[in-house]
Amino acid sequence: MHPDGDELLYLVEGAVDLVLDEDIGERCISLQPGQAFVVPCGVWHRVMVKEPCCLLYFTPGRSQVRWRRPLSPN
C-alpha cells in the first residue's frame, strides 16, 4: 500500500495477476505483456506471478507492508 500516491505497473513480459483489496472484497486483474495498471493511492494490493516476468513499477513516496489480511469482525 502506498499512502503518498498512485502506483503505475507496466508488464514488459510474462504474466501476472494483480490482486486489489477493496472495500467490497478482492478484485483480480490479469496483466499481459504491454499492459499497464494504476493502483490507486491507499489501496492494499499484491502481485501474483503466473509465469516468469519483467514488471516495471513506479511508486511515489513511502510503502507500507502487511503480512496478513486483518480478520473481519463477525
Side-chain angles (χ1 to χ4, degrees):
M1 191 271 288
H2 312 287
D4 296 330
D6 297 343
E7 178 179 45
L8 172 64
L9 303 173
Y10 177 78
L11 187 62
V12 177
E13 60 185 38
V16 300
D17 283 343
L18 177 61
V19 181
L20 305 175
D21 187 3
E22 298 177 325
D23 291 337
I24 59 172
E26 288 188 342
R27 178 167 58 127
C28 183
I29 290 112
S30 293
L31 293 180
Q32 299 299 318
Q35 292 182 320
F37 187 83
V38 175
V39 179
C41 176
V43 173
W44 290 100
H45 59 282
R46 65 186 184 276
V47 174
M48 307 294 288
V49 177
K50 294 168 48 178
E51 56 184 66
C53 67
C54 178
L55 178 68
L56 297 176
Y57 55 94
F58 303 90
T59 309
R62 301 169 294 149
S63 293
Q64 294 183 8
V65 177
R66 72 172 182 215
W67 294 102
R68 284 190 203 181
R69 168 185 286 276
L71 297 175
S72 60
N74 284 340

